[in-house]
Short mmCIF file of all heavy atoms in Angstrom, two decimals:
data_model
loop_
_atom_site.label_atom_id
_atom_site.label_comp_id
_atom_site.label_asym_id
_atom_site.label_seq_id
_atom_site.Cartn_x
_atom_site.Cartn_y
_atom_site.Cartn_z
N PHE A 267 22.70 100.45 -104.99
CA PHE A 267 22.17 99.72 -106.16
C PHE A 267 21.11 98.84 -105.71
O PHE A 267 21.31 97.99 -104.80
CB PHE A 267 23.26 98.96 -106.90
CG PHE A 267 22.84 98.26 -108.13
CD1 PHE A 267 22.93 99.01 -109.34
CD2 PHE A 267 22.46 96.89 -108.20
CE1 PHE A 267 22.51 98.44 -110.50
CE2 PHE A 267 22.09 96.43 -109.34
CZ PHE A 267 22.14 97.12 -110.55
N ILE A 282 23.03 104.99 -116.76
CA ILE A 282 24.46 105.19 -116.72
C ILE A 282 25.22 103.86 -116.82
O ILE A 282 24.63 102.84 -116.55
CB ILE A 282 24.88 105.97 -115.40
CG1 ILE A 282 24.46 105.15 -114.12
CG2 ILE A 282 24.27 107.33 -115.41
CD1 ILE A 282 24.94 105.75 -112.75
N LEU A 283 26.44 103.99 -117.05
CA LEU A 283 27.38 102.79 -117.04
C LEU A 283 28.05 102.73 -115.78
O LEU A 283 28.60 103.64 -115.15
CB LEU A 283 28.40 102.87 -118.17
CG LEU A 283 27.95 102.53 -119.59
CD1 LEU A 283 29.11 102.73 -120.52
CD2 LEU A 283 27.46 101.05 -119.69
N LEU A 284 27.94 101.45 -115.07
CA LEU A 284 28.57 101.28 -113.76
C LEU A 284 29.70 100.11 -113.97
O LEU A 284 29.41 99.11 -114.57
CB LEU A 284 27.66 100.83 -112.67
CG LEU A 284 26.57 101.81 -112.20
CD1 LEU A 284 25.69 101.25 -111.11
CD2 LEU A 284 27.32 103.06 -111.66
N ASN A 285 30.82 100.31 -113.36
CA ASN A 285 31.85 99.27 -113.27
C ASN A 285 31.66 98.46 -112.08
O ASN A 285 31.60 98.92 -110.94
CB ASN A 285 33.23 99.96 -113.23
CG ASN A 285 33.63 100.63 -114.53
OD1 ASN A 285 33.45 100.07 -115.61
ND2 ASN A 285 34.18 101.85 -114.47
N THR A 286 31.52 97.16 -112.31
CA THR A 286 31.28 96.22 -111.20
C THR A 286 32.35 95.09 -111.26
O THR A 286 33.13 95.08 -112.26
CB THR A 286 29.92 95.54 -111.31
OG1 THR A 286 29.86 94.70 -112.40
CG2 THR A 286 28.82 96.59 -111.41
N GLY A 288 31.98 92.23 -112.04
CA GLY A 288 31.69 91.33 -113.20
C GLY A 288 31.77 92.07 -114.48
O GLY A 288 31.43 91.50 -115.58
N GLY A 289 32.17 93.41 -114.42
CA GLY A 289 32.32 94.20 -115.70
C GLY A 289 31.36 95.27 -115.67
O GLY A 289 30.69 95.61 -114.71
N GLU A 290 31.35 95.99 -116.86
CA GLU A 290 30.33 97.10 -116.91
C GLU A 290 28.92 96.64 -117.10
O GLU A 290 28.57 95.76 -117.81
CB GLU A 290 30.71 97.97 -118.15
CG GLU A 290 31.98 98.82 -117.88
CD GLU A 290 32.22 99.84 -119.06
OE1 GLU A 290 31.61 99.59 -120.17
OE2 GLU A 290 33.01 100.78 -118.90
N ILE A 291 28.01 97.42 -116.44
CA ILE A 291 26.54 97.14 -116.59
C ILE A 291 25.82 98.49 -116.82
O ILE A 291 26.31 99.56 -116.48
CB ILE A 291 25.93 96.40 -115.37
CG1 ILE A 291 26.08 97.32 -114.09
CG2 ILE A 291 26.63 95.08 -115.13
CD1 ILE A 291 25.25 96.79 -112.92
N ILE A 292 24.63 98.45 -117.34
CA ILE A 292 23.84 99.60 -117.55
C ILE A 292 22.90 99.68 -116.33
O ILE A 292 22.12 98.72 -116.01
CB ILE A 292 22.99 99.45 -118.83
CG1 ILE A 292 23.93 99.46 -120.03
CG2 ILE A 292 21.98 100.73 -118.90
CD1 ILE A 292 23.12 99.30 -121.37
N ALA A 293 22.92 100.77 -115.64
CA ALA A 293 22.11 101.04 -114.47
C ALA A 293 21.09 102.18 -114.69
O ALA A 293 21.46 103.12 -115.46
CB ALA A 293 22.96 101.30 -113.24
N MET A 315 19.45 101.32 -110.23
CA MET A 315 18.76 100.04 -110.23
C MET A 315 19.11 99.22 -111.49
O MET A 315 19.57 99.75 -112.51
CB MET A 315 17.17 100.25 -110.34
CG MET A 315 16.59 100.99 -109.11
SD MET A 315 14.79 100.86 -109.10
CE MET A 315 14.38 101.68 -110.62
N GLY A 316 18.95 97.89 -111.39
CA GLY A 316 19.31 97.01 -112.39
C GLY A 316 19.13 95.62 -111.99
O GLY A 316 18.45 95.37 -110.92
N ASP A 317 19.63 94.68 -112.67
CA ASP A 317 19.53 93.20 -112.38
C ASP A 317 20.47 92.89 -111.20
O ASP A 317 21.67 93.20 -111.29
CB ASP A 317 19.79 92.32 -113.52
CG ASP A 317 19.71 90.86 -113.12
OD1 ASP A 317 18.64 90.48 -112.56
OD2 ASP A 317 20.64 90.11 -113.46
#
Side-chain angles (χ1 to χ4, degrees):
F267 186 85
I282 60 173
L283 282 176
L284 290 181
N285 290 317
T286 68
E290 286 188 342
I291 64 168
I292 297 175
M315 296 194 302
D317 180 49

